[in-house]
Amino acid sequence: CNEEARCRGLSEDRQAILRKASDFATQALTSYRAGNLKDATANAAASLKVDDQNALAFTVRAMVDIRLNQSAEAKTAFLSVTKVDPTNVLAWNNLAILAFRNRRDPEGLRDFNQAIQIAPDQRLLLDNIAEGLNMYEGPKDNANYVNLARAFTQADARRQAKWARYGRGRFGGTWVTSQQRDAIAKTTTDVIAKANDLQDQYQAANN
C-alpha cells in the first residue's frame, strides 16, 4: 500500500485494494502529463471505483476538467480532495484560482487563506496569491482579505529576502532581475507617455 497512514492496521486484502487504486491513479497522472485526457479520465475513474478516497485520482480528474474548461466539475473534484486530505495545498490553491477566474473573489480569499496556513513558504502559492490580491476589487476591511494580506506580506517578505541574494525581486505574480524590472518600468513609462500624447492630440482635434 502506497499510503502508509491510511494502510496502517488494515488487512492484507484491503491493502491490496488500495494498492490497485493507487496504481490506477498513478497511471491517470502519467496519461494526463502525456496529454491523453481520455485515458487519464478512465484511469482516475477506475481508481475511484476501487477507492473512493484516492486524493490523486480526484486531483487528476480536476486537472482534466480544467483543461476542458469545466470549472464547476473541477471545483467539485478539488473539494473532494480537501475532504479526503484537508492539508492538500494544491487543492486549496486551485480552488482559489478557479474562484477568482469566475469572479467569486470571497471564495478565492477564503481558499487562499486555507492554503497559506498549510504552506506559507510555497513559492507558486505566494505567486498566485499576489495575483489574486491584485485582482481583488471588493472591500478590503473584511476578515478574509485582512488575514490573507497579512499572512502573504509576512511570508513574501521571507521569500523576497531569500531571492534578493540572487538579484531577483517580485514583480506582480512573478520574479525578475533588477535589470528586467528597470526595463519594464521604462516600457510602462513610455506607454503612459504615448497614451497621454494621444489623448492630448484627440482633445486638440476636437476643440
Side-chain angles (χ1 to χ4, degrees), residues 15-26:
Q15 289 190 41
I17 290 173
L18 294 183
R19 275 196 299 272
K20 183 178 181 181
S22 181
D23 289 344
F24 277 127
T26 300

Side-chain angles (χ1 to χ4, degrees), residues 8 45 61 151 192:
R8 191 177 299 116
R61 175 184 284 181
I192 292 173

Side-chain angles (χ1 to χ4, degrees), residues 132-174:
L133 290 174
N134 185 57
M135 291 173 58
Y136 180 68
E137 297 178 348
K140 297 183 178 180
D141 58 352
N142 66 80
N144 272 331
Y145 180 87
V146 171
N147 291 339
L148 181 60
R150 182 189 301 117
F152 169 78
T153 299
Q154 294 171 350
D156 201 52
R158 294 192 296 271
R159 171 62 60 176
Q160 292 202 48
K162 180 177 180 180
W163 279 60
R165 297 198 295 267
Y166 305 101
R168 291 183 175 273
R170 176 172 292 290
F171 188 86
T174 189

Side-chain angles (χ1 to χ4, degrees), residues 95-109:
L95 281 168
I97 291 172
L98 285 171
F100 273 104
R101 283 180 181 173
N102 290 281
R103 306 312 304 167
R104 299 193 306 271
D105 293 5
E107 284 185 32
L109 295 176

Side-chain angles (χ1 to χ4, degrees), residues 13-180:
D13 287 346
R14 182 55 182 165
Q15 289 190 41
I17 290 173
L18 294 183
R19 275 196 299 272
K20 183 178 181 181
S22 181
D23 289 344
F24 277 127
T26 300
Q27 184 56 50
L29 180 60
T30 299
S31 296
Y32 173 79
R33 287 174 172 170
N36 191 334
L37 303 188
K38 182 178 179 180
D39 281 359
T41 300
N43 280 296
S47 175
L48 292 169
K49 184 176 181 179
V50 176
D51 172 20
D52 63 1
Q53 296 187 60
N54 190 288
L56 178 56
F58 277 124
T59 299
V60 173
R61 175 184 284 181
M63 297 305 292
V64 169
D65 288 333
I66 289 175
R67 289 278 294 273
L68 297 176
N69 295 315
Q70 297 175 166
S71 295
E73 291 83 352
K75 177 183 177 181
T76 298
F78 278 129
L79 283 172
S80 295
V81 176
T82 65
K83 291 175 182 177
V84 173
D85 178 12
T87 64
N88 192 304
V89 66
L90 173 67
W92 289 114
N93 173 73
N94 282 300
L95 281 168
I97 291 172
L98 285 171
F100 273 104
R101 283 180 181 173
N102 290 281
R103 306 312 304 167
R104 299 193 306 271
D105 293 5
E107 284 185 32
L109 295 176
R110 180 199 64 199
D111 295 336
F112 272 144
N113 267 307
Q114 291 284 353
I116 201 168
Q117 290 175 39
I118 299 165
D121 296 314
Q122 216 276 350
R123 185 185 66 81
L124 180 60
L125 171 62
L126 292 177
D127 292 349
N128 288 334
I129 292 175
E131 292 284 359
L133 290 174
N134 185 57
M135 291 173 58
Y136 180 68
E137 297 178 348
K140 297 183 178 180
D141 58 352
N142 66 80
N144 272 331
Y145 180 87
V146 171
N147 291 339
L148 181 60
R150 182 189 301 117
F152 169 78
T153 299
Q154 294 171 350
D156 201 52
R158 294 192 296 271
R159 171 62 60 176
Q160 292 202 48
K162 180 177 180 180
W163 279 60
R165 297 198 295 267
Y166 305 101
R168 291 183 175 273
R170 176 172 292 290
F171 188 86
T174 189
W175 297 83
V176 297
T177 64
S178 57
Q179 292 86 352
Q180 289 171 324

